[in-house]
Amino acid sequence: MRELTHILQAAASGALPTSEQALALADYDDMPELMAVASSIRDRGSRNVVTYSRKVFLPLTRLCRDVCHYCTFSRQSPSVDSAYLTLEQMLETAHQGARLGCKEALFTLGEKPELRYKAAREALTRLGFASTIDYVVHAAETVHRETGLLPHINAGCLTEEELTKLRPVAASMGLMLESASERLCEPGMPHHGSPDKHPAPRLATLEAAGRLNVPMTSGILIGIGETRLERIEALLALRDIHARHGHLQEIIVQNFRAKPGTLMADNYEPSLDDLCWTIAMARIVFGGDMGIQAPPNLSPQGLQKIVASGINDWGGISPLTADFVNPEAPWPHLEQLERDTRAAGKHLQERLTIYPCYAADTARWVDPGLRVAVMHGIDAEGLARTDNWIAGGALQPPAAEISRLRVPEPALVSPDIAEILRQATAGQLLSEKDIVRLLQARGEDFTQVCYSADKLRSQQCGESVGFVVNRNINYTNICTFSCSFCAFSKGGKRSHRGSAYDLDSAEIAQRVREAWDQGATEVCMQGGIHPSYTGETYLRILRTVKEAAPLIHVHAFSPLEIWQGAQTLGLTLTDYLSQLKEAGLGTLPGTAAEILDDEVRATLCPDKINTQQWLEVMRCAHGLGIRTTATIMFGHLERLEHVARHLMRVRDLAAETAGITEFVPLPFVHMESPLFTRGKARKGPTFREALLMHAVARLALHPHIRNVQASWVKLGPTGVQAALYTGVNDVGGTLMNESITRSAGAVHGQEMTRDELSALVEIHQRVARQRTTLYETPSIERLSANQTPSEQHITLMAVT
């Protein structure tokens, strides 16, 4: 017993048991100990999340050449007319499912019925297909094309040739091993007379799928006459295959249900304890990274205990179609499943049919024809996008996420989240792992991260929310660089996205004067890298601005423009920045940062300055007393660790120089971005991710950056109001002209007046405060310039 306890302790610490050690646990029946170990392993891999896939069930054919003695799915008396579902029947169901929010089309079928039934052969001939697999290929391709649902195909034992046919139309496939015991195929046993249920062909199919990089679901069926030792042997056989190929995305532990009319109608069903023992053993055998699933409809009264045994997934749940394999066991309503999952201390989260780590690596695991659909359907972790909100779009943010912000101090916060938040609010520097963990927060963890960030904001900044009256002047959209995300730049005189332009000095001066006359304290100026621009161009622009409005603050030139300008004049960064400062440059926008990690930049902006060059420009500016902002553009192709590294690099720079005035998260606006239209980027962040970015920035950058800004152009008015609960204390500028984000497809206005910004902020019991670029109070003359009577309270607030 001491040896078995040692095995469990090692497993709890992250060590997979050897085969011998796993087999030694076959007689271990200390359920509290097993469940505690399995649950701790699961939490290390899946945190507080239990997933499911929203699906429709398409039983393409219920004919099967096998005769499993517990099965009611298979029909043994076929007719030509009923042998296969028609394409029209499948499409009707799939369209209904898509309208109900389903993302998966589960194709189930018996094993090669044409090898046994004449009716199946005749039906295939009538349909125009040589085999059942050929019909599956056609049906799956059509359903995906017509409805957008991602096919998951359970087609039984397959050859490598058949798997190769199916891979282009299946985001994932499945084949239950059920058992690795040949004994169950002997006379009198449940698999006798079923050639496809022998372990060898099933394991061979799983091996072939691994060689082809097909994400697979497999698992075991318990209660059909196997021993506990045989269950572990089956789990180990699956683990060995997975160790070679890494393609098993989940292991299902399915409990036998006795069905009237079968040879096993009177057999005992496994108890809940027996099911939980097997789930716990599967978790221990596979560790924390494997998906372990138990169908919730087969044990509806034991869901909390099942969660406590180590699962992290409920499998496919349909709001429309029955479980045709277990028709006596209806799916739980998703609302009830969410309540039961929460009662077990977990957050229910939707996924696609393809698991997150496979969805995040489409180049390996997804056929090119399905990659765009997968990429567009996932969030930063590879889980399903569950709302239609997009940055810059017209749709309102999801009410469910906003409502989570109104529940201070939730009860079910994960211990590791609570500890990271304690450290962050105490001013301790967070590690990459800590920041990634905060960015993963879902459910009540998400609520607590936002709440903690906002509480820290209140302590640091009080209840005022700043904004600056400014005007954007983008002097040219012609650019020699080829950043794959950019929809603003034009390569020549015209583009399919609109006309190319290059403002002359007179036009720039006119816009500056208009801004000053309207009460602006700042002009924000950036543009493309025009092929004829040199460092002297930027000096000339500064002189033009200062001649037009000598007292206006010039917030201008991205680090890329600074780098290019210095190079064209043969100057060091310090010498060139000194000239710019002398000519009137006030501060630098921290744009051109995108993601400060060269792994991402190699795809996102390969010819742009790299991470260290961006930091060098900012460090030189700070050394000359030129303060800057810092930004991040997120929601495209980065992973959470890239975001964490970006935040840490910005934080470390701020700690070194004290030169960063504010941090500005910029959600990726995807609509017109070439990266997105080519199918190589996500649809921007989800709303949850957008809110988390602001909250985590507040926590991760503390205490070195005081101000966190939300962009009303990216988030929209309602989104900005929600962000006020996540640590935001600034809403940016009035802008007057905004063209870069609108070029990418954003629909929000090009200007927001002082009155509108004030109303946006104060509806949430915060006080709008007009500020300068450097977060000081503007002069009385600027505060009162061109004000409407209703804007007078802003002046009073700024003065007081």
Side-chain angles (χ1 to χ4, degrees), residues 283-302:
R283 176 59 67 196
I284 291 166
V285 166
F286 280 95
D289 293 333
M290 177 60 72
I292 303 292
Q293 181 209 126
N297 59 318
L298 301 186
S299 307
Q301 305 307 314

Side-chain angles (χ1 to χ4, degrees), residues 92-136:
E92 181 180 359
T93 300
H95 278 298
Q96 291 180 48
R99 288 192 289 270
L100 292 171
C102 295
K103 299 175 180 64
E104 172 188 343
L106 171 59
F107 289 84
T108 57
L109 50 147
E111 299 263 2
K112 298 181 174 59
E114 65 270 32
L115 298 182
R116 180 173 180 179
Y117 296 107
K118 179 181 178 182
R121 295 190 291 273
E122 292 176 350
L124 287 170
T125 299
R126 180 187 292 181
L127 290 166
F129 297 97
S131 69
T132 299
I133 296 303
D134 289 341
Y135 186 36
V136 174

Side-chain angles (χ1 to χ4, degrees), residues 19-53:
S19 296
E20 293 75 14
Q21 289 173 332
L23 292 169
L25 293 171
D27 294 325
Y28 193 84
D29 58 2
D30 185 340
M31 286 295 293
E33 177 69 13
L34 279 176
M35 291 171 65
V37 169
S39 188
S40 68
I41 297 170
R42 183 269 321 281
D43 288 351
R44 189 166 57 246
S46 300
R47 307 175 304 278
N48 71 324
V49 174
V50 175
T51 54
Y52 77 100
S53 175

Side-chain angles (χ1 to χ4, degrees), residues 503-561:
L503 301 182
D504 60 23
S505 295
E507 178 63 24
I508 292 173
Q510 177 63 25
R511 294 190 185 193
V512 171
R513 283 190 292 268
E514 290 173 356
W516 183 258
D517 292 343
Q518 292 184 45
T521 59
E522 169 198 301
V523 284
C524 179
M525 307 182 71
Q526 298 173 90
I529 306 299
H530 194 291
S532 68
Y533 278 22
T534 68
E536 181 58 38
T537 306
Y538 301 115
L539 290 165
R540 184 174 67 249
I541 288 172
L542 288 171
R543 290 190 286 268
T544 298
V545 172
K546 285 302 184 178
E547 288 171 3
L551 297 181
I552 204 161
H553 182 98
V554 185
H555 182 62
F557 313 138
S558 71
L560 174 60
E561 292 174 288

Side-chain angles (χ1 to χ4, degrees), residues 66-200:
D66 296 324
V67 287
C68 300
H69 300 169
Y70 46 76
C71 180
T72 57
F73 175 77
S74 159
R75 291 176 176 167
Q76 305 301 324
S77 301
S79 70
V80 173
D81 291 334
S82 63
Y84 295 89
L85 288 182
T86 66
L87 194 57
E88 291 72 22
Q89 289 171 318
M90 288 185 278
L91 283 173
E92 181 180 359
T93 300
H95 278 298
Q96 291 180 48
R99 288 192 289 270
L100 292 171
C102 295
K103 299 175 180 64
E104 172 188 343
L106 171 59
F107 289 84
T108 57
L109 50 147
E111 299 263 2
K112 298 181 174 59
E114 65 270 32
L115 298 182
R116 180 173 180 179
Y117 296 107
K118 179 181 178 182
R121 295 190 291 273
E122 292 176 350
L124 287 170
T125 299
R126 180 187 292 181
L127 290 166
F129 297 97
S131 69
T132 299
I133 296 303
D134 289 341
Y135 186 36
V136 174
V137 171
H138 177 69
E141 190 278 330
T142 304
V143 165
H144 172 65
R145 185 184 67 248
E146 297 294 327
T147 70
L149 299 182
L150 288 169
H152 174 89
I153 296 174
N154 291 339
C157 291
L158 299 166
T159 65
E160 193 156 333
E161 180 183 1
E162 290 169 331
L163 284 163
T164 301
K165 285 183 179 181
L166 288 168
R167 190 179 190 272
V169 300
S172 58
M173 300 187 213
L175 177 67
M176 291 287 284
L177 174 59
E178 296 195 10
S179 175
S181 174
E182 281 286 348
R183 186 177 61 84
L184 298 185
C185 299
E186 295 174 356
M189 300 304 286
H191 290 156
H192 180 62
S194 301
D196 301 293
K197 289 302 177 75
H198 284 265

